[in-house]
Amino acid sequence: PRARRGVGPPRRRHTELSLLAAEAGMPAEAGAGAAWTAHAWGPAGLLFAGTDTGRVVVHRPGAAPSVGVLLLGAVGGLAADATHLVVGGRDGRISWHTLPAAGGTPSPALFALDAGAPVASLAYAPGFDQLVAGLASGGFQRVEYVAGWAAGPLPQEPVPDEQAAAMLVVSAGP
């Protein structure tokens, strides 16, 4: 027998997707004429936004933004995990900061490393045990936490450069 037209499984209906946009203005503390350069989501709905004036603006749901972390150059990349914000600067430094307490800003740098070129982007691996830094030179740097630090918590207080060097392994390429 012949199949009749229109008989068969129901057609799928396509629904429209609506997006809600909210404008986030630049706080005056970010500097006159500042522009957004990098963004990263953090825990509890925090949104970190880097600027070309070297500041990181923290946006909290339902609260006014706060400004912190002054770099020597523009922010090139941001990445956040459950306890730290990592900031990559166009000055070539990658620095680790504790996440802000309610109403506060990220801490001053706890430890840092030299990426060898201006940082253009940062991204964590799914397990948060390594980080890739895209460089303005076109290359990449892979930053891995050594075995003792990969499973345990990173420091919450500033550490000497020697300790930071023992915590991180830096290699070229993703």
Side-chain angles (χ1 to χ4, degrees):
R2 273 175 67 188
R4 294 188 326 204
R5 272 194 127 145
V7 175
R11 287 184 167 181
R12 293 186 179 179
R13 296 190 120 191
H14 296 282
T15 58
E16 290 184 32
L17 176 67
S18 64
L19 300 174
L20 176 64
E23 187 173 328
M26 181 73 69
E29 299 94 326
W36 303 120
T37 57
H39 297 84
W41 285 106
L46 292 176
L47 174 62
F48 300 101
T51 70
D52 60 354
T53 59
R55 285 153 176 105
V56 174
V57 179
V58 182
H59 294 275
R60 290 176 177 75
S66 55
V67 180
V69 187
L70 177 61
L71 299 180
L72 296 177
V75 174
L78 296 169
D81 62 18
T83 59
H84 289 80
L85 174 67
V86 184
V87 180
R90 296 288 167 99
D91 61 356
R93 287 176 41 92
I94 301 173
S95 56
W96 280 254
H97 307 262
T98 58
L99 291 178
T105 60
S107 71
L110 302 174
F111 53 95
L113 63 86
D114 183 0
V119 176
S121 64
L122 291 174
Y124 264 117
F128 293 94
D129 59 343
Q130 51 186 311
L131 181 77
V132 66
L135 305 177
S137 63
F140 290 95
Q141 289 284 2
R142 179 191 303 212
V143 180
E144 297 179 69
Y145 300 119
V146 296
W149 294 102
L154 290 174
Q156 296 288 318
E157 298 292 328
V159 299
D161 290 343
E162 308 80 49
Q163 185 179 351
M167 295 176 354
L168 306 168
V169 175
V170 181
S171 58

